[in-house]
Amino acid sequence: MKTLFALLFSINILACKCDNVNLKSSFESADFVFIGSVYEVHKTPSGFKTLDNYLSKVQIDKIYKGNNYDGFYTDQATLFGSQLRSCDFIFDEKNQYLIFAFYEPDSGFLYSEQCLYTKKLSDTSAVELQTLAILSKEYQQKLKL
């Protein structure tokens, strides 16, 4: 029993490691970039002790980057975050956010990571929003080619 206990506590837990998190690189790597208002948060058990999963419903206010996923994600989306995955950005507070997200085709959920530029909209500057508008315009032009 002691060896099992020692083994469990000697396992290295990997933390999220981010390199050079910035607006432009986050825009380029994300599938979906938008401003949205989280209006409902559901905390569900992950199946592992006290760690939870979060399903956060968000009203989409403005889209900077995204594909029309068969008509989905034009008005609303569900964001998934798990405490089991160290890099997940957990939307556990009703608020307005600038969200850089990945699309998970198997579940239909969006998720964001700590290694992306996701943050509360109140912490976003006017210069950042102008930069996003420029990146969005460039992205739209590339799609037309």
Side-chain angles (χ1 to χ4, degrees), residues 27 63-67 133-145:
F27 186 90
I63 298 172
Y64 291 99
K65 179 182 179 184
N67 295 321
I134 292 166
L135 290 169
S136 180
K137 188 174 183 179
E138 291 171 356
Y139 173 76
Q140 294 301 322
Q141 288 173 345
K142 285 180 185 176
L143 288 179
K144 291 179 183 177
L145 297 178

Side-chain angles (χ1 to χ4, degrees), residues 58-105:
V58 61
Q59 176 69 41
I60 297 171
D61 300 323
K62 180 174 179 69
I63 298 172
Y64 291 99
K65 179 182 179 184
N67 295 321
N68 186 357
Y69 299 101
D70 297 327
F72 289 106
Y73 308 129
T74 56
D75 296 325
Q76 295 185 24
T78 301
L79 298 159
F80 175 82
S82 177
Q83 291 178 322
L84 288 173
R85 301 185 323 193
S86 65
C87 285
D88 278 8
F89 190 102
I90 305 295
F91 295 90
D92 59 352
E93 179 182 329
K94 294 178 185 178
N95 213 320
Q96 195 171 26
Y97 294 88
L98 170 60
I99 300 170
F100 294 79
F102 295 112
Y103 172 68
E104 174 53 53

Side-chain angles (χ1 to χ4, degrees), residues 16-19 21-22 25-26 29-32 79-82 85-91 98-104 110-119:
C16 189
K17 182 180 177 188
C18 306
D19 292 327
V21 176
N22 65 56
S25 65
S26 292
S29 65
D31 296 324
F32 203 55
L79 298 159
F80 175 82
S82 177
R85 301 185 323 193
S86 65
C87 285
D88 278 8
F89 190 102
I90 305 295
F91 295 90
L98 170 60
I99 300 170
F100 294 79
F102 295 112
Y103 172 68
E104 174 53 53
L110 298 176
Y111 67 96
S112 189
E113 295 179 345
Q114 299 291 336
C115 293
L116 294 174
Y117 209 70
T118 296
K119 59 183 171 176

Side-chain angles (χ1 to χ4, degrees), residues 113-130:
E113 295 179 345
Q114 299 291 336
C115 293
L116 294 174
Y117 209 70
T118 296
K119 59 183 171 176
K120 290 181 182 177
L121 188 60
S122 60
D123 296 335
T124 307
S125 72
V127 172
E128 290 170 319
L129 293 176
Q130 289 172 342

